Amino acid sequence: MASTFTCLDYHVVFSTKYRKPSIQEALRQELYQYLGGIVRAEHGCLREIGGMPDHLHLLVGIPPTIAVSDAIRVFKTNSSKWVNERGDQIGKFQWQPGFAAFTVSVSQREVVSQYVRNQQEHHRQRSFQEEFLGLLKRHQIEYDPKYVFEQEHVG
């Protein structure tokens, strides 16, 4: 019997490249299912997933044998490859570089799960940028605003 016991849940947030609304309704549920498969393949547990056309929230358990950044890199890389191989997207589907990840205690799991599940409601009142900066502030993460949101360069 193993003698290592962990419960490592994270609230993970990342957006599409330049926050373009690339996750349309026709893609959303299949993408969520595919991401669930990726998480399971990495021996994780997808507890909740939700989002908007320009970003995703995951409440995910990640095993102690994989670094959070490595797990999220696999989630993003494999899912964007899958979306692009489908061939039904207009243009190339990409995730932004980077992400935000916050630890979640068991006592707060249901609260975060509801938050992730109710993204449509949250975004009637605030933009993704407002939400993201609010999460960084709430978790006392210092940041330089010029590095938070990648801007598309035209010309």
Side-chain angles (χ1 to χ4, degrees):
M1 178 149 104
S3 60
T4 301
F5 306 95
T6 64
C7 180
L8 304 172
D9 286 348
Y10 298 89
H11 175 192
V12 178
V13 184
F14 51 88
S15 77
T16 57
K17 184 97 170 170
Y18 307 126
R19 294 158 314 285
K20 290 185 177 180
S22 305
I23 308 169
Q24 298 304 316
E25 195 63 40
L27 172 64
R28 184 171 295 133
Q29 288 307 313
E30 286 184 63
L31 175 61
Y32 290 1
Q33 291 174 354
Y34 194 82
L35 275 160
I38 296 169
V39 171
R40 286 188 299 280
E42 295 299 311
H43 306 288
C45 177
L46 182 60
R47 300 190 188 287
E48 194 68 59
I49 188 169
M52 298 295 290
D54 63 348
H55 72 280
L56 286 184
H57 291 256
L58 292 81
L59 176 56
V60 61
I62 298 175
T65 54
I66 184 169
V68 175
S69 58
D70 290 339
I72 296 169
R73 178 183 44 78
V74 169
F75 302 163
K76 290 169 63 177
T77 300
N78 291 0
S79 63
S80 62
K81 182 177 185 280
W82 174 79
V83 170
N84 285 311
E85 287 175 350
R86 287 169 46 105
D88 59 352
Q89 285 290 109
I90 297 172
K92 185 176 179 184
F93 181 87
Q94 295 176 288
W95 296 115
Q96 72 172 13
F99 60 89
F102 315 101
T103 55
V104 177
S105 66
V106 172
S107 66
Q108 292 300 302
R109 189 185 287 161
E110 184 54 34
V111 172
V112 174
S113 185
Q114 286 180 8
Y115 181 83
V116 170
R117 209 173 17 248
N118 294 320
Q119 282 295 293
Q120 301 285 334
E121 185 65 32
H122 298 303
H123 288 290
R124 288 188 182 139
Q125 299 172 0
R126 62 195 305 201
S127 69
F128 169 65
Q129 289 90 332
E130 292 168 325
E131 174 190 45
F132 194 83
L133 294 176
L135 286 167
L136 295 179
K137 289 176 186 173
R138 180 176 181 192
H139 291 277
Q140 300 177 2
I141 297 175
E142 292 183 20
Y143 62 91
D144 184 334
K146 68 182 176 187
Y147 298 115
V148 176
F149 299 112
E150 184 178 32
Q151 301 298 318
E152 186 169 18
H153 301 286
V154 180

